[in-house]
Amino acid sequence: MKDKGNAAYQLTLLALSIYVLVVLFLDAFVVSNPQIRSVFQYIDLAVCLVFLADFFVNLFSARNKLGYLKWGWIDLLSSIPLVDPLRWGRISRIVRILRFLRSIKSTKVLLNQLQKSRYQSVTFAVILITFVTYTVCSALILEFESRADGAIQSAKNALWLSFLNIMNAKVAITQAQTTGGMIITVLLNKTGLLLFAYFNAMIFAWLIGRRINQRDSGVLGGV
């Protein structure tokens, strides 16, 4: 069974799998605040959508669909959100991705593959870091503000406020009332600025590359 995607994509899925298992552990054994547990459920739902999309892409592109389903059914069941026993099936996804990475045989070859697809690798890394920062900060700001009887008392409010802060909306900057909440707000704002700066740089790089290709095509056409 061969999965779709290059090494950067598989590493991103591996990181998401580990992250969501950590969230599942915290939800089951550490966190008691029902609103923070709701944040974890929203995280699980978002990651499940990614896993489901990956499952169906692999299924439809597999030459032997029955052969893929021999092991892929575990991925399908573990991608169903909000069912605790099934979510532990994501360990099998980690094992499968590690097997894929082992097939690359060496760290040098892995690094070469990442180098060949460096734009994709950086993009996946930026998206992953943004997602983890957004979700972790949502849980933290809810923890800080709810303990101090601040304005943020629900999972939806925390997620929405964190989203506005990443978007650098001025209306969200003054919402946090605790010191911890203010620090989280600054972190989210800086993350949003870095995210916008990265995608602006990617757009400019694409435009410049297209301009250079057009110029080279014109030169070759005039020869």
Side-chain angles (χ1 to χ4, degrees), residues 6-222:
N6 57 19
Y9 174 73
Q10 294 297 330
L11 283 172
T12 302
L13 288 184
L14 175 62
L16 276 177
S17 299
I18 295 173
Y19 176 58
V20 81
L21 285 176
V22 172
V23 168
L24 174 59
F25 175 82
L26 294 175
D27 185 20
F29 302 108
V30 178
V31 175
S32 59
N33 187 324
Q35 290 301 319
I36 294 180
R37 297 184 71 178
S38 294
V39 172
F40 290 162
Q41 290 175 359
Y42 282 115
I43 295 172
D44 182 66
L45 177 61
V47 176
C48 278
L49 294 177
V50 175
F51 289 163
L52 279 173
D54 176 69
F55 168 79
F56 284 113
V57 168
N58 284 318
L59 176 63
F60 291 135
S61 60
R63 293 183 179 179
N64 184 356
K65 292 180 172 52
L66 290 178
Y68 175 76
L69 287 174
K70 182 179 179 180
W71 298 101
W73 66 270
I74 301 177
D75 291 340
L76 176 62
L77 291 181
S78 64
S79 298
I80 298 175
L82 308 180
V83 182
D84 290 342
L86 296 180
R87 289 192 290 179
W88 290 104
R90 291 166 198 172
I91 296 176
S92 68
R93 181 181 294 271
I94 295 177
V95 173
R96 179 168 56 82
I97 294 173
L98 288 174
R99 188 168 57 211
F100 168 85
L101 295 175
R102 189 182 63 181
S103 67
I104 299 177
K105 295 183 180 180
S106 70
T107 304
K108 183 177 180 180
V109 176
L110 174 61
L111 293 176
N112 287 336
Q113 287 203 6
L114 294 175
Q115 180 68 21
K116 290 179 181 178
S117 58
R118 57 183 179 275
Y119 293 117
Q120 292 182 12
S121 301
V122 175
T123 300
F124 281 132
V126 169
I127 293 174
L128 179 63
I129 291 172
T130 302
F131 176 74
V132 172
T133 302
Y134 167 68
T135 52
V136 170
C137 287
S138 296
L140 288 177
I141 199 170
L142 179 58
E143 174 71 11
F144 292 137
E145 295 295 313
S146 61
R147 285 188 176 184
D149 294 327
I152 306 166
Q153 296 292 326
S154 69
K156 291 182 178 179
N157 287 340
L159 290 166
W160 179 242
L161 179 69
S162 296
F163 174 75
L164 291 177
N165 277 310
I166 283 186
M167 296 295 106
N168 287 275
K170 292 183 179 180
V171 69
I173 296 176
T174 59
Q175 291 291 317
Q177 299 177 12
T178 64
T179 302
M182 293 177 184
I183 293 173
I184 296 300
T185 297
V186 172
L187 177 60
L188 287 167
N189 272 267
K190 298 304 180 184
T191 302
L193 289 174
L194 291 174
L195 181 65
F196 286 129
Y198 171 74
F199 282 108
N200 284 333
M202 290 294 292
I203 291 172
F204 281 122
W206 177 77
L207 291 174
I208 292 173
R210 185 176 180 183
R211 183 70 177 270
I212 292 174
N213 290 335
Q214 289 177 348
R215 185 189 62 188
D216 293 343
S217 299
V219 172
L220 292 176

